[in-house]
Amino acid sequence: MRLLICLLFSISVSSQVKPLSFKIDRLTAIDSTVKRYYTLEYHIENVSEKTVSFVLNGSNLIPINAGSQSEKMYFKLFENDMPIEMNNVVENGFRQKLFEIDDAKKLTEEEINKLQEEAIKYFEEQRKKSILDNVVTLKPKETIHYKAYLTWDKERYRRQGDFEHYIHETHPHYLELAFNLMLETFEDELTPEEYKTISSNPNLITGWYTSNKVAIDFSE
């Protein structure tokens, strides 16, 4: 009886072991007169004995408080051990703007509405492309490496809605990454055929993964 209980416990524990290992390797920074540019390198390894597949746009970073239903990689900032609950401290290095606010002031309401419709369509197409182009398959013990970029404008006082924060130059700061492997939330973004193609993959895995924390330099 004791042997049976131990065996069942062993099976239960082994079934909860995640197939992926996720680690930040390094974070480096280069200064200009007005901005600081960060390069982030990290990797995901299949530590299991089986081939696995998942949907992840691993080189595109977004703030973790921007939502948890994305195929992109999340980043989270800390001051000391406390999370910074704002998403405008640093920016993705490849962020794009469709048009500047000053230009928008010169447009008619009809032109603005048209631009908004085009922008929605553009981002919907990009979201679908981001999903379809980032179905990752890793063989046992195989590793995939990523590199991403962030930018800080060196402004210490931040405000977002009702939230305010001052980035103290002498306090330690850290960055952490996470990703959420899922599929159901993508169904509305894809055609039935596209969704069926991905969901029928027998190696598809799901789950939430969090990396190690690394120091990020916000000093003078």
Side-chain angles (χ1 to χ4, degrees):
M1 182 65 178
R2 180 178 298 176
L3 179 61
L4 178 60
I5 292 174
C6 290
L7 180 60
L8 291 173
F9 177 76
S10 176
I11 293 173
S12 174
V13 170
S14 62
S15 66
Q16 296 175 10
V17 176
K18 292 186 175 181
L20 300 179
S21 171
F22 177 36
K23 183 181 178 182
I24 300 175
D25 299 309
R26 63 185 61 84
L27 192 161
T28 56
I30 298 176
D31 266 2
S32 72
T33 54
V34 294
K35 290 187 177 183
R36 183 166 296 166
Y37 302 92
Y38 303 96
T39 299
L40 190 61
E41 298 177 63
Y42 44 100
H43 73 270
I44 298 171
E45 180 185 1
N46 177 8
V47 294
S48 75
E49 301 297 330
K50 297 180 180 180
T51 297
V52 298
S53 297
F54 49 90
V55 178
L56 178 66
N57 186 344
S59 295
N60 199 331
L61 303 183
I62 60 174
I64 197 166
N65 55 341
S68 61
Q69 296 185 341
S70 175
E71 76 286 356
K72 298 180 177 67
M73 183 76 69
Y74 303 108
F75 68 88
K76 187 175 185 178
L77 296 173
F78 297 82
E79 187 169 271
N80 296 310
D81 293 325
M82 297 297 296
I84 300 175
E85 302 292 351
M86 307 183 78
N87 59 17
N88 64 352
V89 177
V90 294
E91 291 186 347
N92 188 320
F94 297 115
R95 183 180 177 185
Q96 297 179 346
K97 295 181 180 179
L98 294 180
F99 58 92
E100 297 294 337
I101 297 300
D102 289 341
D103 293 332
K105 292 177 182 177
K106 304 172 187 177
L107 301 177
T108 66
E109 184 176 352
E110 182 180 352
E111 289 172 325
I112 291 175
N113 290 336
K114 185 178 179 181
L115 273 176
Q116 289 175 338
E117 290 175 2
E118 291 176 353
I120 291 172
K121 183 179 179 180
Y122 170 80
F123 286 118
E124 287 176 347
E125 291 173 351
Q126 290 301 304
R127 177 79 193 280
K128 176 188 281 195
K129 188 175 186 298
S130 178
I131 296 168
L132 295 176
D133 291 352
N134 289 283
V135 180
V136 181
T137 297
L138 294 178
K139 297 178 181 178
K141 312 308 176 186
E142 186 178 3
T143 301
I144 183 169
H145 294 269
Y146 292 99
K147 184 179 288 188
Y149 306 89
L150 295 169
T151 304
W152 175 45
D153 61 10
K154 296 189 178 182
E155 292 292 331
R156 297 196 174 276
Y157 172 74
R158 319 300 298 198
R159 182 166 185 168
Q160 183 180 333
D162 295 331
F163 293 96
E164 295 178 293
H165 184 80
Y166 182 83
I167 304 172
H168 292 273
E169 56 268 30
T170 59
H171 290 188
H173 294 87
Y174 304 95
L175 179 141
E176 178 183 271
L177 297 178
F179 58 87
N180 186 14
L181 301 182
M182 55 187 175
L183 188 63
E184 292 80 4
T185 54
F186 302 152
E187 189 169 3
D188 292 339
E189 312 289 339
L190 307 173
T191 65
E193 292 77 16
E194 290 167 340
Y195 182 78
K196 183 178 180 181
T197 298
I198 297 177
S199 61
S200 62
N201 185 335
N203 300 316
L204 200 67
I205 61 171
T206 59
W208 182 273
Y209 287 83
T210 303
S211 75
N212 53 313
K213 289 181 184 177
V214 294
I216 182 169
D217 184 10
F218 287 126
S219 63
E220 289 293 344

